[in-house]
Amino acid sequence: MAEESFQERTEKATPRRRQEAREKGNVAKSREVPSVLVLLFSLLVFHFTAQWMYREFAGFMRFFFGHASEFTLSLIGARHLILFTMKFMTVFMCPILLAVMIAALVGNILQIGFLWTADPLTPKLDRLDPIKGFKRLFSVQAFAELMRSVLKILIVGYVSYLTVKHQYNRMPQLVVMSVGDIMKYTLSVSFEILYRTCWVLVVLAILDYGFQRWQYEKDLRMSKQEIKDEFKQREGDPLIKARIRKMQREIARRRMMEAVPKADVVITNPTHLSVALKYSQEEGMRAPTVVAKGAGFISDKIREIARKHHVPLVENKPLAQTLYKGVEIGEEIPEALYRAVAEVLAYVYRLKHPRLQGPAGGGKTIPGEATR
């Protein structure tokens, strides 16, 4: 039971999970939003272009019936008639088709932004499995879709019924109206029905989008184990990373120890801190550089290697502490320590070249102790 509860998807999806789902085309999208926008845009276009469309269609019919006798019953005549009709219908339907295309694009962009993926179009064999298809057909999701569709039809039907009901008193007057007036009345009532239906569908689309968003977030939820596995894939296994860091520290420590024999002096504190310095104008050094430092066991190893390779050890507690805390390996010492380090190097130089020392007492003295 504990293992099952651990695997429950109770955590929010990570950004990587969301990105992978988006790349596969799995996004929160309601089909009602583009549908209602198509209806709304079409109504607006029809409202502002109805008179133009009426004139164009009436002119086409007058031309067609007025010149019907001039058309020849031949392949050439039929071809001209078809081309003429197609040209007229293209121009006639262009505003509506353009509105539908723009509404479909806007409806999808508002929900998911700009997204291009061919993954939903990729052929998958499991989609051809009749058993799985039968299960999807009678699944809970399919039943919910059916109920939403039925509910939408009932609501739209009820709104249409209420609109027509308010026109009952005017319907007997249609008997004495002309054909043109009847057409105008019918179009007016139809537009009112579509207008009211459109606003009802807007509300339904907003509710459906909210539901689809909730369902999407629920489906994307992850278990704690999935989050841990994703973190391991992205950042690497913590145990492996710790081992790599340990190996890197060992390599850096080995390189540091290899630099101790080339140092000019090792400054100590006197036992638990050690800092190795090197200065070589031939190597382009502008100032003495820290080539190794350490505390505790590392300090002992530095002093051991220094004694083995006859590198002088100089005890200077303040200088050792300042260098250990303020200067990293490979960095030059700051200007504030030039004088103190210069005195140490001068002292070491006199140790290495005793014949070049001045008269007794004439040389500089350095507090501390030097050993070989």
Side-chain angles (χ1 to χ4, degrees):
M1 293 296 294
E3 183 178 358
E4 292 180 359
S5 61
F6 183 75
Q7 295 297 331
E8 290 181 356
R9 296 184 175 183
T10 57
E11 308 299 321
K12 291 184 177 181
T14 60
R16 182 180 179 184
R17 177 70 171 267
R18 296 178 184 275
Q19 182 63 27
E20 291 178 349
R22 182 177 177 83
E23 292 175 354
K24 295 179 180 179
N26 183 14
V27 292
K29 184 177 69 172
S30 171
R31 291 178 293 182
E32 303 298 331
V33 175
S35 300
V36 72
L37 287 179
V38 166
L39 178 59
L40 182 60
F41 278 44
S42 300
L43 283 177
L44 291 175
V45 171
F46 182 76
H47 176 74
F48 290 106
T49 63
Q51 294 182 356
W52 172 83
M53 295 176 70
Y54 174 77
R55 289 196 304 267
E56 290 294 320
F57 190 75
F60 171 76
M61 296 303 293
R62 282 195 298 266
F63 175 83
F64 184 82
F65 289 107
H67 298 78
S69 60
E70 300 177 5
F71 296 125
T72 58
L73 298 177
S74 63
L75 293 177
I76 297 177
R79 183 168 64 86
H80 286 300
L81 179 60
I82 292 174
L83 290 177
F84 174 76
T85 305
M86 291 180 61
K87 181 179 179 181
F88 168 77
M89 293 304 296
T90 301
V91 176
F92 182 77
M93 297 298 297
C94 184
I96 298 294
L97 295 177
L98 186 62
V100 170
M101 183 181 67
I102 294 175
L105 289 175
V106 171
N108 286 280
I109 292 174
L110 286 177
Q111 295 183 88
I112 62 176
F114 292 95
L115 175 63
W116 173 259
T117 176
D119 189 79
L121 302 178
T122 304
K124 296 181 180 179
L125 296 178
D126 58 348
R127 296 178 180 175
L128 302 177
D129 190 347
I131 298 178
K132 292 184 178 180
F134 186 79
K135 291 181 179 179
R136 287 195 297 266
L137 185 62
F138 293 94
S139 63
V140 177
Q141 185 176 1
F143 180 75
E145 290 286 343
L146 177 62
M147 290 296 100
R148 284 202 299 269
S149 300
V150 172
L151 180 62
K152 182 171 66 174
I153 293 174
L154 292 176
I155 294 175
V156 171
Y158 182 70
V159 172
S160 302
Y161 166 75
L162 292 178
T163 305
V164 175
K165 184 179 179 181
H166 290 297
Q167 302 295 329
Y168 279 170
N169 297 330
R170 296 187 59 186
M171 286 184 179
Q173 302 176 8
L174 296 177
V175 178
V176 296
M177 288 184 181
S178 63
V179 176
D181 292 336
I182 293 175
M183 289 291 295
K184 290 181 180 179
Y185 175 77
T186 304
L187 290 174
S188 176
V189 174
S190 300
F191 184 80
E192 185 177 357
I193 293 174
L194 292 174
Y195 178 77
R196 293 185 178 182
T197 302
C198 183
W199 285 113
V200 173
L201 292 178
V202 167
V203 176
L204 294 178
I206 294 174
L207 295 177
D208 185 68
Y209 177 75
F211 174 78
Q212 295 295 336
R213 191 75 190 179
W214 173 82
Q215 186 68 37
Y216 174 76
E217 293 292 338
K218 181 180 178 181
D219 294 339
L220 279 186
R221 285 179 183 176
M222 304 172 65
S223 64
K224 295 181 179 180
Q225 185 61 38
E226 288 176 334
I227 294 178
K228 290 181 180 180
D229 294 340
E230 180 183 307
F231 178 79
K232 288 181 180 180
Q233 293 177 0
R234 185 177 68 251
E235 303 293 339
D237 193 331
L239 297 177
I240 297 178
K241 291 180 66 177
R243 185 175 180 182
I244 293 175
R245 287 194 296 267
K246 182 179 179 181
M247 293 176 62
Q248 290 175 342
R249 287 194 297 267
E250 291 294 334
I251 293 174
R253 186 181 304 167
R254 192 179 303 114
R255 291 179 178 175
M256 182 181 69
M257 293 304 179
E258 292 175 354
V260 173
K262 304 176 183 178
D264 294 320
V265 64
V266 174
I267 302 175
T268 63
N269 183 27
T271 56
H272 77 283
L273 288 181
S274 298
V275 181
L277 298 177
K278 180 181 180 181
Y279 178 63
S280 175
Q281 293 182 343
E282 297 177 355
E283 298 182 8
M285 294 184 180
R286 297 177 299 178
T289 302
V290 175
V291 295
K293 68 175 183 178
F297 174 76
I298 304 299
S299 175
D300 296 339
K301 292 294 294 184
I302 291 175
R303 290 197 305 273
E304 179 182 344
I305 296 174
R307 292 190 185 96
K308 183 177 180 181
H309 293 84
H310 309 290
V311 177
L313 301 176
V314 176
E315 179 185 334
N316 191 322
K317 296 181 181 180
L319 183 57
Q321 292 177 353
T322 303
L323 290 173
Y324 182 81
K325 295 178 180 180
V327 186
E328 297 297 329
I329 298 174
E331 292 183 359
E332 297 178 352
I333 64 172
E335 294 184 5
L337 299 178
Y338 279 3
R339 182 178 180 83
V341 174
E343 291 179 352
V344 172
L345 292 177
Y347 176 71
V348 171
Y349 184 79
R350 288 196 300 270
L351 289 178
K352 291 183 177 181
H353 305 85
R355 297 180 181 179
L356 299 180
Q357 295 186 35
K364 295 182 180 180
T365 59
I366 298 180
E369 176 185 2
T371 61
R372 295 290 298 238

